[in-house]
C-alpha cells in the first residue's frame, strides 16, 4: 500500500512516497510565498516502472491546489508532464513572463 507525505521544514522540504513503510521516492521542493518550486523527482531503482513518479506528481499538484500555491517546475520530469498535459495543470503552473 502506497502513502505520500509532505514534509516541509522552514522553506525547503520533500514530498515523500512510501510503499509498505519503505521510502520509495521523493520530490525536493521549497515553498516561498505562494510559489512551490519543485527541483527534483526521484524514485528508488527497485520501485521504478510502477507509476510512482506520477503518484508524487499528483500529490504535488493536490498540495498546491489545497494551499493556493503556484508550481515552478524546475524538475525536468514535472516540467515535461506540465508541457504534455497543460489542460490538467494550467491552474497551478507558474509561467514567468518577461
Amino acid at each position: 500500500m502506497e502513502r505520500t507525505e509532505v514534509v516541509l521544514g522552514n522553506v525547503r522540504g520533500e514530498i515523500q512516497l512510501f510503499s509498505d513503510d519503505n521510502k520509495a521516492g521523493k520530490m525536493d521542493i521549497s515553498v516561498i510565498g505562494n510559489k512551490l518550486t519543485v527541483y527534483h523527482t526521484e524514485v528508488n531503482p527497485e520501485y521504478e516502472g510502477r507509476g510512482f513518479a506520477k503518484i508524487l506528481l499528483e500529490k504535488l499538484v493536490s498540495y498546491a491546489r489545497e494551499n493556493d500555491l503556484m508550481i515552478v517546475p524546475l524538475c525536468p520530469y514535472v516540467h515535461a508532464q506540465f508541457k504534455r498535459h497543460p489542460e490538467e495543470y494550467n491552474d497551478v503552473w507558474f509561467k514567468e513572463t518577461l
Side-chain angles (χ1 to χ4, degrees):
M1 170 106 162
E2 282 72 52
R3 70 180 169 82
T4 55
E5 214 173 281
V6 176
V7 180
L8 270 177
N10 218 351
V11 167
R12 281 192 150 306
E14 292 182 341
I15 295 176
Q16 301 174 342
L17 173 66
F18 295 88
S19 180
D20 298 323
D21 290 326
N22 297 313
K23 190 171 176 184
K26 69 179 180 113
M27 282 182 158
D28 295 325
I29 62 170
S30 69
V31 177
I32 299 174
N34 71 333
K35 290 189 191 120
L36 187 163
T37 303
V38 56
Y39 302 96
H40 178 70
T41 300
E42 182 178 312
V43 174
N44 295 344
E46 61 269 27
Y47 296 101
E48 288 176 356
R50 297 193 202 173
F52 282 9
K54 180 74 172 171
I55 293 171
L56 283 163
L57 178 60
E58 288 169 3
K59 182 62 178 182
L60 174 81
V61 170
S62 69
Y63 182 82
R65 286 180 177 139
E66 290 165 13
N67 293 281
D68 294 319
L69 300 170
M70 295 299 288
I71 297 171
V72 180
L74 298 183
C75 166
Y77 169 75
V78 175
H79 191 253
Q81 291 302 313
F82 278 24
K83 282 178 69 176
R84 258 185 225 127
H85 309 283
E87 67 288 343
E88 231 176 292
Y89 304 114
N90 266 337
D91 65 316
V92 292
W93 186 359
F94 180 79
K95 297 177 191 169
E96 201 156 6
T97 53
L98 299 176

